[in-house]
Amino acid sequence: MSALYELTLAEVSLALAQRRVSASEVLDAQVARLGAVEPRVQAFLRIDEAGARAAATASDARRSAGQSLGPLDGVPVALKDNLLTRGVETTAGSRILSGYVPPNDATVTTRLKQAGAVILGKTNLDEFAMGSSTESCPFHLTQNPYALDRVPGGSSGGSAAAVAAREVFGALGSDTGGSIRQPAALTNVVGLKPTWGRVSRSGVIAYASSLDQVGPFGRTVTDVALQLKVIAGHDPADSTSSDAPVPDYAAGLTGSVKGLRIGLPREYEVAGMDPHVLASVKAAAKTLQGLGATLVELSLPHTGAALAAYYLIASSEASSNLGRYDGVRFGHRAEGVKTLRELYVKSRSEGFGEEVKRRIMLGTFALSAGYHDAYSVKAQQVRTLIRRDFEQAFGVCDVVLSATSPVPAWKQGEKLDDPLALYLMDVLTIPCNLAGLPGVSVPMAPTSAGLPTGLQVLGRPFDEQTVLNVAHAWERETSYFRRAPEL
Amino acid sequence: MPRADFQVVVGLEVHAQLLTRAKLFSSASTDFGQAPNTQTTPVCLGMPGALPVLNEKVVELAIRTGLALGCTVNQRSEWSRKHYFYPDSPKAYQITQWDFPICEWGEVSFEVDGRLKRARLRRIHIEEDAGKSVHDAADGLTLIDLNRAGTPLLELVSEPDLRSADEAIEYLKALREILVAIGVNDGNLEEGSFRCDANVSVMRHGSTTLGTRCELKNLNSFRFIKQAIEIEAERHVELIERGGVVEQQTRLFDPDRGETRAMRSKEDAHDYRYFPEPDLPPLLVSAETIEAVRRSLPELPRAKRQRYVEQLKLPPYDAQVLTADARLARLFDACVLQFPDAKKVSNWFQGELSRLLNSSGRGADQVKFTPAQFGALLRAVDDGTISNSTAKDVFAQVFETGKDPLAIVAEQGLAQSTDLGELERVVDEVLAANQKNVLGYRGGNLKLLGFFVGQVMKAMKGKGNPNPKTVNELLVKKLG
């Protein structure tokens, strides 16, 4: 039998259900794995071994009594550190929240706990989820498990790396412009951004509320489906969460794409795209065609304006959402200030990092009187056009297929001084957020240098099932997900 | 007197706290007077990850208000964020309604010098209240109390249709009366649950162009509002007369010095950076909901007064007194159903009932008697069973105990005698014993009738309770 940590979530879940292994033994294995690889990967900001131990013990007690809370019962997972955990420090990767211990759990945290999951710790991220490389954070960098001198992507780089490094069997991240799918692509794991409104945002430290959505990482599509089932569904604490019924996503994975129409948008072949990535997407389309799908070439004509609209909308909402970090009630508070203004200016100047400040300023500017129409209103108009592009596309196809990231993982520090180059990394993932659609990234052929790449599948609102199903068929056909990092 | 050349123009923004138990977007209590920061949840405190969840009761009260003021109730309205940094604004933005308010275009009618006037209401929107900063609580510290943060408010914005401080006051009184009558607000200016900002400008008589306005704040009584508007208008007139120009400003009224002071000018006005609130879906209200609220609306004070005068034929003064308190008016309506002579009921309400309510400290909704008992009592007076003065004594007991008035009359033997034989004998005796006065009466001193009535009543003591009306009639007949 292979080492416990090598199992997928579904496999370890089965082992637990059959009582071939206890939750405590699984936790022991993962703690040992952490000891072996975490110093090099640094996926976590905080490991809550005591909390995890208690959860594992409780899970074992349930199993002994012949009870189970479902497939996640006793399974170690990790949470991005912008998801509230009661009694466990939650920082959103920012100095301004250093030492902040929330009084309550995020709804997704509660649901994982109610499903018996063992929360092993909080993972690293770009500060307030603003970034594509998990480099814009004040604490430490996270390394790509497949190439330790490279970035794991971002902003949910810690959760992606933790799953890729086999430290946990699943993890949650958040995706505002690609922050789940892009790191999944760069670390050879599966990452799903659900439809906006599918998963509660209550207890998610907001970056851009109209775009933020929590979603799962896993080694396989099934692993992601099992987690989605637990966290999805209406939440009275989030008025924008949908009450659409939550299907059993894992049971709905048929493995068949027969008769499915796959859209290939010509605008998603962007300049500067890695030739291997481009060729791999084309090959993937052919593979799916071979499995019985129909290919439809189509146009999403307003794609070119998406990036600009995204940075205006996301930054505007960020400038608003981050106003509450003022040093008055919680978080970092500057010392030795004499006036209210000084308290605000100094607390925020000390607490926020460069990228966060850049976006607060950009957003404040875009919302200001005199610029509001030229920027904010225009950006909303672009957003409407992008949504319509997809509505039209889904008239002729069932899913849209593309690369997740135009390039594989880059070297740490390589793009740090060039925010615009970093922003361009999100060009293929952003339109999906603007339109509120579900999207998944699933492992694709590695480059000759062995760097992972990702295939992105986008679907209709609340049609996570079809998106996962296409990814699942691809995964079964290709098995890139079996590849493991050499750590 | 240059003042006479100018016309004062006033528009009012009223903030009315809604009478709900929970806050606008959180389950925290709206109770006042509790220990600081105890009436809060993570939503009120602006904690990371906390999301607003709308209290539906607020929507109902807003619709109620809109309908009572003749507004259009929008079936779709939207929430916006209004940004400003201040410690008592925990999220650094206020959730309000901006481009799409819940109600638009109604009116408030009011009386000034006996004339009916109207002012248009441009909009009513829902928003959350801020917390409180307590300055210099100790050692020059400012402390923050967020108990009030998130309390639901209605902002009611008038058009600049008011033409004097008196009109502004009457507008406010009429608006407050309606809000209290429909149960959405307690109307308390001193405690700040009914607050007002006034936009004041002046223009020359006959002009159609409004002057530059100044917004006055810190107006927490009708007296201060009137003073502030008059003082501010005077300031504008003087400025213009001296060849100056009024600057658009927000100004603070200082009641101690009797002046207004500039707080900020237009240039440094806040840029609130409004944008649609992404944490809340648009507010949708069905036509059925609006109709249900409309059906639940009580008769408004103005309509009630009109009905009292036109249908019940009450003097305007009576109508005013009876409708000043919605509870009193409700009781009055119920009693008139039992005893249709509205003027008689009104007299009792203004006399005995009002005296008893005052001395007992009870409200008209807390009386122990039923409208049916009240009706029975008045009928007993009307048909001569008891005298008016007896009825007052009986009513005092009914008020105190809730006992049936006719039972009291029977138990205490208070019914008036109708034994005419006995009465006639006593009358004859009295006339025989007072021949001098009989002559005086017949000689033209009609006032002596009262003397005879008194004598008869005295002599009848213990022999039943004659109806004074009957005694009168008998005496007049015998003396005539």
Side-chain angles (χ1 to χ4, degrees), chain B residues 45-59:
Chain B
L45 299 175
M47 305 282 267
L51 296 177
V53 176
L54 178 63
N55 176 353
E56 295 289 343
K57 184 72 188 168
V58 171
V59 179

Side-chain angles (χ1 to χ4, degrees), chain A residues 31-185:
Chain A
V31 169
R33 177 69 179 165
L34 277 174
V37 302
E38 176 61 7
R40 280 169 289 153
V41 177
Q42 294 183 286
F44 285 82
L45 284 177
R46 223 157 293 104
I47 291 168
D48 178 23
E49 201 181 324
R53 185 65 61 191
T57 306
S59 175
D60 286 335
R62 278 191 296 274
R63 299 275 189 194
S64 300
Q67 294 160 2
S68 160
L69 295 174
L72 297 193
D73 201 341
V75 177
V77 297
L79 295 179
K80 187 177 182 178
D81 202 33
N82 60 353
L83 307 175
L84 298 186
T85 43
R86 186 160 60 94
V88 176
E89 186 185 357
T90 302
T91 65
S94 181
R95 270 208 181 89
I96 209 150
L97 276 174
S98 271
Y100 178 69
V101 178
N104 55 324
D105 277 328
T107 297
V108 290
T109 309
T110 305
R111 291 195 174 171
L112 282 180
K113 286 180 176 175
Q114 285 169 348
V118 174
I119 298 170
L120 191 48
K122 307 298 292 289
T123 59
N124 200 9
L125 67 158
D126 287 295
E127 185 176 0
F128 282 102
M130 298 177 190
S132 311
S133 64
T134 317
E135 289 176 296
S136 86
C137 53
F139 304 118
H140 59 71
L141 299 183
T142 294
Q143 282 66 244
N144 190 318
Y146 285 86
L148 292 173
D149 58 345
R150 289 179 185 262
V151 300
S155 65
S156 313
S159 285
V163 173
R166 275 64 172 163
E167 294 177 330
V168 283
F169 298 94
L172 298 187
S174 65
D175 189 317
T176 306
S179 283
I180 290 174
R181 291 159 289 154
Q182 185 258 16

Side-chain angles (χ1 to χ4, degrees), chain A residues 6 56 83 166 203 317 321 378 388 455:
Chain A
E6 290 177 30
L83 307 175
R166 275 64 172 163
E317 292 184 16
N321 284 329
K378 196 62 112 189
R388 277 191 207 144
L455 181 67

Side-chain angles (χ1 to χ4, degrees), chain B residues 391-413:
Chain B
K392 287 180 183 172
D393 294 338
V394 173
F395 183 59
Q397 296 181 51
V398 172
F399 184 87
E400 212 45 58
T401 62
K403 259 182 96 169
D404 189 68
L406 298 183
I408 293 173
V409 168
E411 278 167 25
Q412 300 175 13

Side-chain angles (χ1 to χ4, degrees), chain B residues 118-166:
Chain B
R118 292 171 209 283
R120 290 167 296 166
L121 260 181
R122 192 193 324 156
R123 57 185 279 149
I124 303 176
H125 69 253
I126 307 168
E127 62 185 28
E128 50 180 357
D129 209 344
K132 271 184 183 158
S133 297
V134 185
H135 296 294
D136 294 317
D139 303 333
L141 284 177
T142 292
L143 301 179
I144 312 297
D145 178 4
L146 295 174
N147 281 354
R148 201 183 63 183
T151 297
L153 294 179
L154 282 189
E155 181 172 330
L156 304 102
V157 184
S158 87
E159 286 287 281
D161 286 353
L162 302 161
R163 290 292 174 269
S164 68
D166 286 333

Side-chain angles (χ1 to χ4, degrees), chain B residues 214-226:
Chain B
C214 287
E215 185 182 357
L216 304 181
K217 293 200 175 276
N218 192 35
L219 312 173
N220 49 19
S221 76
F222 286 136
R223 193 163 58 90
F224 288 165
I225 296 168
K226 184 168 152 66

Side-chain angles (χ1 to χ4, degrees), chain B residues 28 132 151 158 166 220 236 260 276-277 286 330 335 347 371 381 424 453 464:
Chain B
K132 271 184 183 158
T151 297
S158 87
D166 286 333
N220 49 19
H236 288 207
T260 67
E277 167 57 273
S286 71
R330 261 197 299 281
C335 289
N347 289 346
V381 177
E424 198 166 350
V453 172

